[in-house]
Amino acid sequence: MSQSSPFLSNDQLIEVFNYTHTATAVHVGETAIIQTANDAMLRIWGKDRNVIGKSLEDALPELKGQPFIEMFRKVWLEGLVISGKDTAADLIIDGELKTFYFDFEYRAIKNDEGKTICILHTAVDVSERVLRREAIEREQQKDEALQREQVLNEELAATVEELAATNEELVATNEELQETQETLHVLNNELELRVAERFNQLSESEKRFKTMAEGTDIFITVGDEFGNAIYFNKPWTNLTGRSMDALLAFGWADLIHPEDRDRYLDIYLSALRDKKPFTGEFRVLTQKGDYRWLLTSGPPRFHADGSFAGYISSCIDITERKLIELERLNLNKLIEASSEFIALIGLDMSIQYLNPAGLRKLGWANITNRNMLEVIFPADRPTAEELLSGVLQGIDFKQEIRFWNEITGNPFWIEWSGFAIKDQETGQITAIATVSPDITERKLHQEELQDINIEMAAANEELAATNEELAQTHEDLIQYTQKLADSEERLLQAIDTGKMGTWSIDPKTLEITVSGFVKSLLGLPLDEPAKTSDIMSAVHADYHNELKKSFANALNTHSSSDNEYPITNLTTGEEKWIRTTGRVFVDQHGHITEYSGLFIDITEQKLDEIRKNDFIGMVSHELKTPLTAINGFVQVLQRKAKKDEDNYAIVALEKTNSQIRKMTTMINGFLNVSRLESSKLLIEKTNFNLDDLLKETIEETYISQSSHQIILHPTCGVDIYADRDKIGNVISNLISNGIKYSDNGTSIEISCNLSDTEVEVQIKDEGIGIRPEDIEKLFERYYRVQGNHTISGFGIGLYLSAEIVERHGGRIWAESEEGKGSVFHFTLPLS
Ligand code: ADP
């Protein structure tokens, strides 16, 4: 009958899981109790193996308020598969709450009846991938922003172009204006002449002058020698909406824009003082409520006798020109304030204008006598030269190129646009304008982006490999789970077919519950619950104590139990041998939830063993009789040989004797094993002196061997109450092992320590020593260390010694280092 559980243990499971790098865990129940988790999963959680057996919430309290615990519950209750990609989870790693991203799957694993038996939890930490993707998105946004900026810059370039056109228009308008002014001047002069003429002709008749003045669009004012206005023509009253009376004297002055008033009055009054002509510009309030710019000029007029008569001044509306000028001023400001590099280049490639941003970028103080090519990074100069000469052929350009800062020597990337500035009239190119936004950052980002793309491709490849691995692991796990289910199936079948039963003990009341199979073996009624007292009365009384101790130990230490004992069927009186295995289950708080196990009928196996034992006992016993006879005859022969002084016979018989002693020890050993197994090994205690026993045993040993020195250290001189022969066997066995497993000529040292409650004997050798993995097993029946088989033995000496010492209430153990010798200790209680 199989003695090991068909399930893999947690450790074995973990070993399976640990073959993969994929984080994997198995959970059970609504609270997702962690059944097992591999190292990769523990790393993700930032936890150690202590989380095994805890619910997910207890193991990872930071998951409270996150959706995962609820998902597990759903997977468990509804037998679902829930999976997610790039899912954020907050976990406490090294005491710090951090966000990670996972691809994960919670898969309900079901048995044949469709019942969920566990949840397979796999997860891949994809934080790096997600963060990388976000970084790329950010980079793309930046890039888009840069591109938007570029569009703006292009607009700016267009504006500058417009500006150039406006400038040209302005120049044209200015010229026109100049012409108009000249015409006006001529007209004025003519007018003056005509007025003078008229004055001369019609000196007394102002009426005629007025008629003339009223018939023109030009604003005409006549002032007297004191500066007072004495006449305004119709266009004035039309423009201002004020009557001539209101305008007369200095009534016109408060129509002038407050910002222009003082300046213009200064010009006018100082001209008046010197009787000189004047010109000036000012804004005048119209009857519509807005201001119009007027350009005025007034030549002085004189009477026929040469005395100063005042002014006849004429004004023209220059509002349109003024607006253009203003616009130009603003555009100039814009260029000055722009953070872009803006330059105007002459046909000889000399820089004629460079805005402050340009000077800053180049690290220049001014542009005196500089050539445009000095701005360009030396390696890019041929390209720049080609582009600039292209503009002179009428080809505008836009090209990424490097300028450089003369002071730092550092190049910087710009997107350089250039176009020709042409003379409006002749169409001749007069200069080249260039606008150059700095794109160094964008360039760097592009390079970074390229690097990131390469890295991403590598990461993706890795990810694909990991995914494949994951798929494989998943496949393996499914197969493994299937195997588990099969094993469970077989176990259930075994229970069903009546080869074993089940039992459990209530951890609180310690009441025992058993399955029907157990009841029938014990001869208890099948149709009612079995009483604990009835169950115990079926168990052989000699085993009650051992069983109780074993159960209590399992419950106290949360460990498993394994016992063999005979029972008597309470109905039929039939005797059977039973093996019960049990395991204690605990919840996440460490409370025992169940202590249960299997109840197996091992009668056949046990009877086999008993038969084998009886056989060994019988053979040993039968061998002893002839051996005793041989021993007797040898002694008679020895005496005779001594008498005849037959030296050869003396030596031969001594050797025969030694072999007989060895054989007797061996046969006694087997006899004792068989007695022990059949519980017939009796301990007969007497009071005796331990020192005496030690000395006797050493002397006996010397009789059969003289290859080693046996040293007895100052002893403890204590009387003990024990089975003298059997303790003698133990000492003798430990000494002969010391001799057997060490080189000739080495020493065996025996010492003894006394405490209040016990005495401890130590037997130390300088022999081959024992490996740590063997030390625990030395005291098992028939156990022999592998590789020592050239030395004869059956592996029963230490087994018997341990049984004898333990039956005395003592302990036995060994300490050893391979190649350096061993020390065997045993204790006996003093009381
Ligand atoms: P055996 O008859 O094989 O000596 P024992 O039960 O006395 O049986 O010992 C069991 C095994 O323990 C031995 O086979 C040997 O390998 C090992 N052993 C016992 N005593 C010693 C010792 N003093 N030094 C090294 N190995 C020892």
Side-chain angles (χ1 to χ4, degrees):
M1 201 158 292
S2 163
Q3 297 186 7
S4 60
S5 162
F7 293 104
L8 290 191
S9 69
N10 263 358
D11 288 346
Q12 288 168 318
L13 261 172
I14 288 161
E15 219 178 291
V16 175
F17 294 150
N18 276 342
Y19 277 116
T20 171
H21 301 304
T22 306
T24 310
V26 175
H27 302 258
V28 180
E30 268 188 61
T31 56
I33 291 167
I34 301 162
Q35 191 82 347
T36 187
N38 68 355
D39 293 345
M41 184 60 91
L42 292 172
R43 268 196 302 282
I44 284 186
W45 289 341
K47 296 286 182 287
D48 58 23
R49 295 227 161 268
N50 287 333
V51 300
I52 310 281
K54 292 185 178 172
S55 73
L56 197 60
E57 187 175 319
D58 283 346
L60 302 161
E62 67 266 32
L63 288 186
K64 242 191 230 172
Q66 300 188 51
F68 308 107
I69 293 171
E70 182 53 28
M71 282 185 196
F72 269 107
R73 208 176 77 84
K74 239 176 127 70
V75 172
W76 178 260
L77 292 177
E78 296 171 29
L80 306 171
V81 178
I82 295 186
S83 62
K85 269 188 117 12
D86 303 347
T87 309
D90 294 335
L91 292 171
I92 296 178
I93 304 294
D94 299 332
E96 210 186 309
L97 189 67
K98 291 181 193 160
T99 303
F100 295 86
Y101 297 86
F102 298 101
D103 286 357
F104 70 94
E105 185 179 272
Y106 305 154
R107 176 177 289 276
I109 304 295
K110 301 173 191 171
N111 62 14
D112 280 354
E113 289 152 26
K115 188 176 172 322
T116 302
I117 52 166
C118 65
I119 301 172
L120 176 65
H121 172 189
T122 51
V124 181
D125 183 347
V126 296
S127 304
E128 214 180 320
R129 184 184 77 196
V130 173
L131 293 177
R132 231 181 252 284
R133 198 182 55 220
E134 283 177 5
I136 288 176
E137 279 168 9
R138 274 202 301 282
E139 287 308 318
Q140 280 171 347
Q141 278 170 6
K142 246 192 192 174
D143 208 36
E144 277 166 22
L146 274 170
Q147 276 171 8
R148 278 201 298 280
E149 199 183 320
Q150 191 188 337
V151 170
L152 278 176
N153 281 331
E154 277 165 15
E155 277 171 19
L156 184 65
T159 315
V160 169
E161 233 174 300
E162 260 174 41
L163 180 68
T166 317
N167 209 5
E168 278 158 24
E169 258 174 46
L170 203 64
V171 170
T173 317
N174 253 347
E175 276 167 15
E176 254 174 47
L177 250 170
Q178 223 168 344
E179 269 174 36
T180 319
Q181 234 168 345
E182 270 166 29
T183 322
L184 204 65
H185 202 65
V186 173
L187 224 146
N188 233 356
N189 284 343
E190 270 176 25
L191 199 68
E192 264 175 54
L193 280 173
R194 284 227 297 276
V195 168
E197 224 175 280
R198 289 266 189 263
F199 251 86
N200 286 339
Q201 286 174 7
L202 310 165
S203 55
E204 298 309 318
S205 170
E206 267 183 33
K207 240 187 196 168
R208 283 183 141 177
F209 162 74
K210 281 177 192 163
T211 318
M212 183 271 305
E214 297 303 300
T216 173
D217 284 344
I218 297 167
F219 302 91
I220 294 173
T221 318
V222 180
D224 65 12
E225 65 266 44
F226 308 109
N228 293 315
I230 51 169
Y231 169 74
F232 285 89
N233 71 348
K234 197 98 181 237
W236 267 115
T237 51
N238 286 348
L239 179 75
T240 61
R242 292 207 181 170
S243 65
M244 164 111 69
D245 284 347
L247 292 171
L248 287 177
F250 279 86
W252 51 272
D254 55 286
L255 287 175
I256 296 179
H257 193 288
E259 280 176 19
D260 305 336
R261 194 179 297 140
D262 291 348
R263 181 178 45 78
Y264 178 69
L265 283 175
D266 266 1
I267 294 171
Y268 177 61
L269 294 175
S270 67
L272 179 72
R273 201 170 47 239
D274 301 338
K275 304 176 178 65
K276 293 260 168 68
F278 68 88
T279 57
E281 292 176 358
F282 55 86
R283 279 163 290 181
V284 109
L285 185 66
T286 71
Q287 61 173 328
K288 287 185 205 149
D290 60 349
Y291 283 95
R292 305 283 306 171
W293 276 98
L294 296 183
L295 169 69
T296 180
S297 65
R301 64 190 172 89
F302 298 93
H303 292 299
D305 59 0
S307 61
F308 179 64
Y311 293 96
I312 295 179
S313 57
S314 59
C315 296
I316 53 165
D317 188 331
I318 56 160
T319 309
E320 305 309 324
R321 190 195 84 192
K322 270 293 195 193
L323 285 180
I324 290 170
E325 253 175 30
L326 204 68
E327 204 175 324
R328 182 184 172 173
L329 203 70
N330 284 339
L331 281 169
N332 273 340
K333 272 189 200 156
L334 200 69
I335 290 173
E336 293 278 306
S338 167
S339 62
E340 302 313 333
F341 185 112
I342 297 170
L344 204 66
I345 305 161
L347 299 182
D348 58 352
M349 300 301 148
S350 64
I351 301 173
Q352 293 176 351
Y353 169 79
L354 190 58
N355 72 344
L359 287 170
R360 251 195 329 274
K361 283 204 167 117
L362 297 174
W364 286 3
N366 55 51
I367 54 163
T368 338
N369 293 331
R370 291 291 189 127
N371 185 296
M372 184 61 195
L373 291 177
E374 289 176 43
V375 168
I376 314 287
F377 186 58
D380 293 348
R381 280 182 193 163
T383 319
E385 214 169 344
E386 220 172 280
L387 292 171
L388 289 174
S389 57
V391 177
L392 299 181
Q393 321 288 311
I395 310 160
D396 294 351
F397 67 81
K398 184 186 229 180
Q399 163 108 16
E400 291 182 357
I401 204 164
R402 281 167 297 176
F403 283 10
W404 73 329
N405 184 307
E406 205 171 56
I407 291 171
T408 61
N410 289 338
F412 52 94
W413 279 99
I414 54 137
E415 192 174 66
W416 199 31
S417 310
F419 50 88
I421 307 280
K422 289 181 187 158
D423 184 293
Q424 193 74 12
E425 274 179 21
T426 61
Q428 287 282 308
I429 296 174
T430 55
I432 303 170
T434 65
V435 180
S436 326
D438 189 334
I439 55 161
T440 311
E441 215 179 319
R442 189 177 85 200
K443 273 288 211 204
L444 287 178
H445 282 310
Q446 268 170 359
E447 275 165 26
E448 261 172 40
L449 211 64
Q450 228 162 359
D451 287 350
I452 289 175
N453 276 340
I454 292 170
E455 266 176 43
M456 271 290 287
N460 273 341
E461 258 170 53
E462 245 174 59
L463 206 67
T466 314
N467 274 342
E468 251 169 62
E469 236 178 65
L470 192 68
Q472 185 55 44
T473 313
H474 193 200
E475 188 71 11
D476 291 350
L477 254 150
I478 288 174
Q479 279 178 14
Y480 174 72
T481 313
Q482 186 55 44
K483 272 190 203 155
L484 264 182
D486 291 350
S487 306
E488 191 181 4
E489 182 69 31
R490 278 201 298 278
L491 181 70
L492 290 172
Q493 273 171 10
I495 293 173
D496 281 354
T497 50
K499 287 180 206 149
M500 55 177 90
T502 57
W503 61 272
S504 69
I505 292 181
D506 186 312
K508 286 195 190 93
T509 62
L510 297 182
E511 281 298 310
I512 306 174
T513 315
V514 294
S515 68
F517 171 77
V518 179
K519 283 187 208 166
S520 63
L521 266 193
L522 300 180
L524 295 169
L526 288 174
D527 48 2
E528 57 187 68
K531 282 197 217 113
T532 302
S533 55
D534 290 343
I535 295 171
M536 286 313 284
S537 68
V539 175
H540 201 293
D542 287 354
Y543 291 83
H544 281 195
N545 269 346
E546 183 192 315
L547 269 180
K548 279 180 193 159
K549 260 195 211 166
S550 172
F551 288 171
N553 178 56
L555 286 166
N556 288 338
T557 60
H558 297 180
S559 57
S560 45
S561 61
D562 193 344
N563 301 86
E564 287 181 9
Y565 49 89
I567 55 144
T568 308
N569 186 300
L570 295 176
T571 316
T572 63
E574 195 184 357
E575 298 217 322
K576 283 204 179 280
W577 275 89
I578 297 301
R579 178 173 174 213
T580 47
T581 57
R583 202 180 143 193
V584 170
F585 296 89
V586 288
D587 64 15
Q588 63 263 47
H589 307 296
H591 299 140
I592 298 173
T593 53
E594 198 181 322
Y595 175 29
S596 60
L598 296 174
F599 188 94
I600 312 158
D601 178 356
I602 55 161
T603 312
E604 271 173 47
Q605 187 182 321
K606 200 71 191 177
L607 289 179
D608 256 3
E609 232 172 76
I610 290 168
R611 275 194 290 273
K612 193 173 71 199
N613 245 332
D614 289 349
F615 176 74
I616 291 174
M618 202 175 65
V619 169
S620 312
H621 199 266
E622 289 303 313
L623 283 175
K624 261 191 105 170
T625 320
L627 202 61
T628 317
I630 292 171
N631 197 19
F633 285 118
V634 167
Q635 287 195 359
V636 173
L637 281 176
Q638 263 184 320
R639 273 201 296 277
K640 188 169 178 299
K642 272 187 191 152
K643 211 164 137 197
D644 296 348
E645 293 180 359
D646 182 344
N647 285 338
Y648 175 76
I650 291 171
V651 173
L653 287 168
E654 190 45 54
K655 288 199 171 149
T656 311
N657 228 341
S658 156
Q659 293 303 322
I660 290 170
R661 266 198 299 273
K662 264 194 190 169
M663 204 152 158
T664 312
T665 317
M666 258 187 253
I667 291 171
N668 279 338
F670 280 116
L671 258 179
N672 282 336
V673 168
S674 101
R675 283 183 192 138
L676 190 74
E677 301 284 308
S678 56
S679 309
K680 285 180 199 148
L681 185 77
L682 296 180
I683 304 288
E684 292 171 52
K685 290 184 180 175
T686 53
N687 258 320
F688 64 91
N689 185 280
L690 183 62
D691 291 355
D692 290 348
L693 181 64
L694 284 171
K695 278 178 208 148
E696 251 172 56
T697 318
I698 292 169
E699 270 157 31
E700 268 171 30
T701 313
Y702 269 130
I703 295 173
S704 51
Q705 68 82 38
S706 54
S707 56
H708 290 67
Q709 198 193 351
I710 305 174
I711 305 163
L712 179 64
H713 284 289
T715 49
C716 34
V718 68
D719 275 357
I720 53 168
Y721 182 65
D723 186 323
R724 195 173 195 279
D725 279 352
K726 301 227 164 43
I727 298 300
N729 285 344
V730 173
I731 297 166
S732 159
N733 183 41
L734 294 179
I735 295 175
S736 21
N737 273 352
I739 290 169
K740 214 157 69 167
Y741 297 104
S742 59
D743 287 343
N744 286 354
T746 56
S747 309
I748 310 293
E749 291 177 58
I750 301 168
S751 54
C752 176
N753 286 322
L754 198 60
S755 79
D756 285 349
T757 52
E758 58 182 19
V759 61
E760 180 190 327
V761 177
Q762 295 180 6
I763 290 146
K764 178 171 178 283
D765 65 55
E766 300 165 350
I768 57 171
I770 307 153
R771 287 191 301 258
E773 61 266 34
D774 289 316
I775 271 194
E776 290 303 315
K777 299 180 186 153
L778 293 183
F779 301 96
E780 287 171 14
R781 190 177 53 173
Y782 307 132
Y783 187 82
R784 304 205 69 221
V785 171
Q786 287 209 337
N788 285 355
H789 289 234
T790 47
I791 304 169
S792 70
F794 295 103
I796 57 172
L798 288 181
Y799 168 63
L800 276 173
S801 300
E803 285 293 331
I804 292 168
V805 169
E806 275 158 23
R807 290 208 184 185
H808 278 84
R811 293 169 289 126
I812 187 165
W813 71 98
E815 284 166 354
S816 180
E817 201 175 322
E818 212 184 353
K820 294 206 174 154
S822 320
V823 190
F824 280 79
H825 308 247
F826 71 89
T827 64
L828 292 170
L830 284 180
S831 57

